[in-house]
Amino acid sequence: MSTPPDTPSPTSPGPPSGGQVPGRPYPTPAQRKDHGRAGRNLPAAVGSAVLLLGLVGGTLYFVKPVFMLVVVAAVVVAVWELHRGLLAKGIDIPEQPIMLGGGVMVVVAFVWGAEALVTATAVTALVVMLWLLRRGIDGYVQNATAAVFTVVYVPFLGSFVALLLREGGLTGNGLGDDGVAGVIVFIVVTIASDIGGYVAGVLFGKHPMAPVISPKKSWEGFAGSFVFTAAAGVALVVLLLDGDWWVGIALGLIAVVMATLGDLCESVMKRDLGIKDMSQVIPGHGGLMDRLDSILATVAPIWLLLHYAVF
């Protein structure tokens, strides 16, 4: 469940040593705009969301391989953002081999499936660790650990989108294709989790879920997220995938729990790094990782459920 961008709490850390992330200073209270309980610039956020959904929907519906290029591009941008954020703590991962290996992982998953993805992930992690040997001993464990974490967190989890899409074959298109329908179901239930939590949190949120980690998340928002995702899950699984209604309920439960955990984990990361957003590449939303946190956390268990219970 993605909710409005985090606002640092009194107990959250301030800017890291040095005072800024390379290329972007940590915003001071005077520099932060107050968008009310919404927590974001709604016109910019809606406009960005419409453009992104149009790009995703168009490429997904008509040409599967082109949609895979969009996924690869998202992985590359997400790795760049994570590298940028980690630099705030002096952690310098080798972004170029991670970007290259991550792109290969997505393509391999789409073309050859889960077994090939596992192999590509292992090879990428080993290559990254060997690449870091060129820098010498100092900081090797810290940078190698962060690099392998990045490989798993971004391209490995993101590659499950490719696994979901290949359920209908490599060349099909339209809603009659199982892969296309599966990805649409996954995207819509994730959006429903975001919208349900956002609306319920803004209108009714009174009981913080994790006030130190993410002050604007509430139990009321969590409940709203579950209602939206369960309703969307049942409707989409029955209508698009011709599956049983209970799969839709399970899908909603998985989406709301995993999306909430994914959002909280990224909030913890940002607070530890002393940054507000991973970047500002998406107007009204912040960084791409600020939007992918829920998607990365939900896609693997959703693929597992649909693969064995529907497809």
Side-chain angles (χ1 to χ4, degrees):
M1 174 183 63
S2 294
T3 54
D6 297 321
T7 301
S9 67
T11 56
S12 66
S17 177
Q20 71 177 54
V21 177
R24 176 174 59 85
Y26 190 92
T28 64
Q31 292 172 321
R32 299 187 192 106
K33 293 183 179 180
D34 183 10
H35 295 294
R37 296 191 69 184
R40 67 177 68 165
N41 184 334
L42 281 179
V46 171
S48 299
V50 169
L51 289 175
L52 287 174
L53 287 175
L55 173 65
V56 169
T59 56
L60 175 63
Y61 187 82
F62 293 107
V63 188
K64 279 187 174 183
V66 176
F67 176 70
M68 283 297 94
L69 293 179
V70 174
V71 177
V72 170
V75 165
V76 169
V77 173
V79 170
W80 169 78
E81 287 186 343
L82 200 51
H83 173 246
R84 188 170 177 266
L86 290 170
L87 284 175
K89 287 286 188 177
I91 303 171
D92 187 10
I93 62 174
E95 60 179 352
Q96 291 84 4
I98 297 177
M99 289 176 177
L100 178 59
V104 171
M105 287 162 61
V106 172
V107 173
V108 162
F110 179 62
V111 176
W112 289 293
E115 295 84 357
L117 170 60
V118 172
T119 302
T121 303
V123 171
T124 300
L126 289 171
V127 168
V128 167
M129 289 190 290
L130 291 173
W131 186 281
L132 282 170
L133 290 176
R134 301 163 62 235
R135 299 182 184 175
I137 297 173
D138 189 38
Y140 178 83
V141 173
Q142 172 182 268
N143 293 330
T145 302
V148 174
F149 164 77
T150 301
V151 168
V152 174
Y153 184 39
V154 180
F156 177 72
L157 293 180
S159 294
F160 279 84
V161 177
L163 292 179
L164 190 55
L165 186 61
R166 82 182 303 271
E167 292 289 349
L170 303 183
T171 58
N173 59 14
L175 293 178
D177 181 271
D178 284 343
V180 173
V183 173
I184 290 175
V185 169
F186 154 65
I187 292 174
V188 172
V189 295
T190 305
I191 292 174
S193 174
D194 187 37
I195 293 175
Y198 180 77
V199 172
V202 169
L203 295 179
F204 310 111
K206 293 182 180 180
H207 300 88
M209 179 180 292
V212 175
I213 298 173
S214 188
K216 291 190 176 182
K217 285 182 178 60
S218 65
W219 287 107
E220 290 83 1
F222 182 84
S225 182
F226 175 70
V227 171
F228 271 61
T229 52
V234 171
L236 292 168
V237 167
V238 172
L239 296 177
L240 284 185
L241 302 180
D242 196 27
D244 297 324
W245 65 269
W246 64 265
V247 176
I249 296 292
L251 193 69
L253 181 61
I254 289 172
V256 67
V257 171
M258 297 307 299
T260 300
L261 292 176
D263 200 26
L264 287 174
C265 285
E266 207 219 355
S267 294
V268 169
M269 289 172 55
K270 289 189 292 186
R271 291 192 179 284
D272 184 33
L273 296 173
I275 59 178
K276 182 178 183 293
D277 296 311
M278 285 295 183
S279 75
Q280 294 295 330
V281 297
I282 307 178
H285 291 273
L288 185 62
M289 279 298 297
D290 298 304
R291 297 299 93 199
L292 290 182
D293 50 7
S294 298
I295 289 176
L296 292 174
T298 57
V299 63
I302 285 179
W303 170 78
L304 190 66
L305 174 68
L306 295 182
H307 180 74
Y308 289 102
V310 176
F311 299 132

